Amino acid sequence: MGAIKLTAFTGEQPLIQPRLLPDTAAQSAVDVRLNDGALTAMRSPVQTANAGAVDHKTIIKFDGDWLSFANEVHAAPGPVADDRLYYTGDGAPKMRVDDTVYPLALAPPSTALSTATSGSGTGAVQTRIYVYTWVTDFGEESEPSPASGEVDWQSGITVTLSGFEATPTGRNITKQRIYRSQTGDVGTYFYFVAERAASTSDFADNVAIDGFNEPLPSANWNAPPDGLSGLTTLPNGIMAAFVGRDLYFSEPWRPHAWPEKYVLTTDYPIVALGAVGSVLIVMTSGLPYVVQGSHPSSMRMDKIEQNLPCINSRAVVDLGYAIAYPSSDGLVVIAGDGQARLVTVNLFDRDSWQALSPQTAIAGQMFGRYVMFYDTTDSQNKIVAGAIFIEVSGTPFLLRSSARATAVWYDLETSKLYYLGYGTDDILELDPPTGARAIYYWRSKEFAMQAPTNFGVIQVDAANALSPAEVAMIDAEIAAVQAANEALIAAGSLNGEINSHEMNAYALGGDILAPLPKQATGIEVSVFADGNVVKTVNVANKPVRLPSGFKARKWEVSAQGRSSIEQIVIAHTMADLMQVVG
């Protein structure tokens, strides 16, 4: 073999090793982006907003505002108006309209109306029953009140209704709708009589017998249960959520109504939901399911006969074309056709995957890749934390970031990933275009030669040095960290004293001070032979001799710096090198 050409930065082959090591400098790839066809440093995160709380589990951007929750909250925009956000997980289900939060449930009137007749009538006698509903200023209608007693009616008789309840507060109820029974060819049903401003005043029914309008729409509606969780949206105005093993669907275009007649039940407790087009992926503590249908009344549920339980709802990610979630054995991806696969089978064995503590991780997406933030300790009780980017659509490979998060939000409109920084209330943008270049570290896979050999030359093709603007951003970042650390020192305790903080919150001997970023540098490429560094190269775009006098069977290359690297070539001779790089 004359040369090894390392240009597979876009994932053509798995050059990045899947090993998890405790020391950042020894991890396979840290703070690297590979979406530009080159080895490029990610940019340092930039603070976007302030969450107002530390260690919250959910951040959501809605209508230009950031919302923060202590619990795991699932939110979805309403299918009927742009100014509404529906969410579960923060107590009973809720609806946010602009800056006001309402309970999603719209309770019906609790008592039946009383009836009284006046006047004399003629003709056939009909039996009437009355109900009424609440109507909010948002156009929502409640279930009906209990039915009134029967009243005999003839033409010429007026029926007066009384006993209307006082209008409940906290739900923006503004109107009442009154319905009465009518018997037809297919049975007896309630039909609309009148709508009026919500009032306790009596109502005199003088509506002609042929003056009916639409039938009562909410007769079979139910309020969402208080324990509803995992809210997600489907086409045709349908929303889905769950309680235990029961899968609920809203009435189309009526997010406040969740008829119990639509409930489907799984064999295992439901953990999370995700939608791919019109297909609902149901992740459980056992087997996953797919549910399809154009209306809640026609939903069909099919079990995926694969042992792929979901172990963590906070690490479930909607990638658009598929749903990704952690199982005990690795990362699972389920497409809209119901095909499920374990995409990390060649990246992690079970022990390495479990070392990331996937059951406590949180996840988002970026560059179309799954991003999992992990925070755990290793066998020596040292903190192991950061993020991994897993390519799931093509040949699987992974990257790493040093970012630590307690909550994540992916902005679909801008394709930006935001996170709540660990131990802070700062909402940060990951790899922003305005951030300073971070220092990346990358290490290739181990190339095993058929026989011990010696490579004699290396060439690193890299971009030019950082621009003055990029250097200025790095200097500004260093200055900002210095200022923040000085403020912490002036404030007193740094949480580094014995018994000053809970165990494992900081590395041994550590404190709350942020590490200073390194000064702007170029590149540093190291060549490993049988695990030992034999040469470190700091120059780019020209050949560099490698040491001679030994042979090795296993060869690796690592790279670190801020400047982009387009390719790395190591070869036996200069002639071999020229055949590759030209």
Side-chain angles (χ1 to χ4, degrees):
M1 183 175 183
I4 298 176
K5 182 180 180 182
L6 306 182
T7 59
F9 302 138
T10 55
E12 297 169 8
Q13 50 182 303
L15 292 181
I16 299 175
Q17 299 187 63
R19 58 190 176 189
L20 173 68
L21 300 176
D23 296 326
T24 298
Q27 293 182 22
S28 56
V30 180
D31 293 328
V32 174
R33 341 165 50 220
L34 295 186
N35 61 317
D36 296 331
L39 193 62
T40 305
M42 294 181 67
R43 295 186 180 273
S44 298
V46 171
Q47 182 180 1
T48 299
N50 186 279
V54 177
D55 296 335
H56 270 195
K57 292 183 177 180
T58 305
I59 53 173
I60 297 170
K61 190 177 184 181
F62 174 66
D63 199 24
D65 296 327
W66 282 100
L67 311 177
S68 180
F69 301 90
N71 303 318
E72 179 185 354
V73 169
H74 292 89
V80 293
D82 293 337
D83 62 347
R84 301 180 199 176
L85 182 72
Y86 298 84
Y87 57 95
T88 60
D90 186 35
K94 294 179 174 60
M95 173 182 69
R96 183 184 182 95
V97 183
D98 295 326
D99 294 327
T100 305
V101 176
Y102 302 90
L104 183 56
L106 177 56
S110 59
T111 57
L113 294 172
S114 298
T115 58
T117 59
S118 60
S120 59
T122 59
V125 177
Q126 295 183 1
T127 300
R128 287 182 173 179
I129 302 172
Y130 290 84
V131 296
Y132 75 104
T133 64
W134 300 121
V135 180
T136 71
D137 197 38
F138 309 119
E140 304 160 305
E141 185 169 9
S142 73
E143 302 165 63
S145 67
S148 69
E150 295 180 352
V151 57
D152 291 334
W153 175 88
Q154 290 177 290
S155 179
I157 292 178
T158 296
V159 179
T160 299
L161 306 176
S162 61
F164 290 94
E165 293 179 1
T167 306
T169 60
R171 200 53 180 84
N172 207 19
I173 294 171
T174 57
K175 298 177 181 178
Q176 295 165 334
R177 287 181 184 161
I178 301 167
Y179 297 83
R180 74 186 183 205
S181 62
Q182 173 71 36
T183 300
D185 294 337
V186 294
T188 300
Y189 202 72
F190 290 100
Y191 292 86
F192 176 79
V193 172
E195 178 180 275
R196 68 173 187 172
S199 171
T200 57
S201 301
D202 294 351
F203 175 80
D205 178 15
N206 291 313
V207 178
I209 193 170
D210 58 353
F212 286 98
N213 289 283
E214 74 272 7
L216 171 67
S218 60
N220 294 313
W221 292 357
N222 299 104
D226 286 348
L228 206 63
S229 182
L231 186 70
T232 191
T233 56
L234 291 166
N236 302 323
I238 303 170
M239 305 188 88
F242 64 90
V243 177
R245 295 190 300 121
D246 292 332
L247 178 62
Y248 283 77
F249 297 94
S250 72
E251 190 70 23
W253 312 108
R254 299 289 185 269
H256 70 289
W258 295 74
E260 294 179 358
K261 64 181 180 179
Y262 298 148
V263 171
L264 301 176
T265 303
T266 60
D267 294 336
Y268 309 93
I270 301 172
V271 177
L273 304 176
V276 181
S278 60
V279 177
L280 182 67
I281 308 297
V282 182
M283 292 149 277
T284 76
S285 60
L287 305 182
Y289 295 75
V290 292
V291 179
Q292 300 181 67
S294 60
H295 190 276
S297 63
S298 60
M299 290 293 180
R300 171 184 171 180
M301 183 165 65
D302 295 304
K303 189 186 302 181
I304 300 175
E305 297 291 348
Q306 291 180 259
N307 296 327
L308 298 172
C310 179
I311 61 173
N312 180 5
S313 59
R314 296 189 72 206
V316 174
V317 174
D318 181 353
L319 296 170
Y321 57 88
I323 303 297
Y325 67 90
S327 72
S328 298
D329 297 321
L331 183 67
V332 177
V333 171
I334 301 182
D337 59 2
Q339 295 297 311
R341 56 194 180 98
L342 194 66
V343 298
T344 53
V345 65
N346 292 323
L347 296 178
F348 297 97
D349 58 24
R350 181 184 173 90
D351 290 342
S352 296
W353 176 253
Q354 288 293 331
L356 295 173
S357 189
Q359 66 273 13
T360 62
I362 56 177
Q365 63 168 307
M366 196 171 186
F367 314 136
R369 296 171 184 141
Y370 181 87
V371 184
M372 186 174 82
F373 294 83
Y374 58 93
D375 205 312
T376 183
T377 56
D378 63 13
S379 58
Q380 282 77 44
N381 213 31
K382 293 177 62 177
I383 296 172
V384 179
I388 55 173
F389 294 67
I390 303 177
E391 175 65 51
V392 300
S393 60
T395 301
F397 67 90
L398 62 89
L399 311 174
R400 300 187 190 275
S401 170
S402 55
R404 298 176 69 183
T406 57
V408 175
W409 173 257
Y410 177 70
D411 192 322
L412 183 62
E413 294 182 359
T414 62
S415 299
K416 294 179 180 180
L417 181 64
Y418 298 93
Y419 65 98
L420 184 61
Y422 179 84
T424 76
D425 61 355
D426 294 335
I427 297 176
L428 306 169
E429 180 184 345
L430 187 65
D431 192 25
T434 57
R437 289 286 183 191
I439 294 178
Y440 63 78
Y441 181 89
W442 175 87
R443 187 162 174 168
S444 75
K445 74 173 184 180
E446 193 175 72
F447 291 87
M449 304 293 104
Q450 293 182 349
T453 188
N454 178 265
F455 286 95
V457 64
I458 181 173
Q459 179 165 324
V460 180
D461 290 335
N464 294 326
L466 298 178
S467 68
E470 289 180 310
V471 173
M473 282 194 294
I474 294 168
D475 291 340
E477 180 186 26
I478 294 172
V481 173
Q482 286 176 328
N485 284 343
E486 289 171 0
L488 291 172
I489 293 171
S493 173
L494 301 179
N495 289 342
E497 304 86 355
I498 296 176
N499 296 327
S500 66
H501 215 69
E502 65 268 17
M503 292 184 63
N504 299 324
Y506 308 105
L508 183 63
D511 50 40
I512 61 175
L513 293 179
L516 285 178
K518 295 181 180 179
Q519 296 288 340
T521 59
I523 59 169
E524 183 176 291
V525 175
S526 297
V527 179
F528 296 78
D530 286 340
N532 300 311
V533 177
V534 297
K535 183 70 174 180
T536 297
V537 178
N538 298 104
V539 298
N541 305 317
K542 68 178 183 178
V544 176
R545 292 288 183 181
L546 296 175
S548 59
F550 71 94
K551 293 183 179 181
R553 187 170 181 272
K554 297 178 180 179
W555 293 79
E556 298 171 83
V557 173
S558 72
Q560 62 179 314
R562 299 185 193 265
S563 299
S564 298
I565 295 177
E566 297 171 359
Q567 68 176 5
I568 303 171
V569 180
I570 58 174
H572 288 295
T573 66
M574 191 68 71
D576 292 337
L577 180 71
M578 291 301 101
Q579 288 181 2
V580 176
V581 301

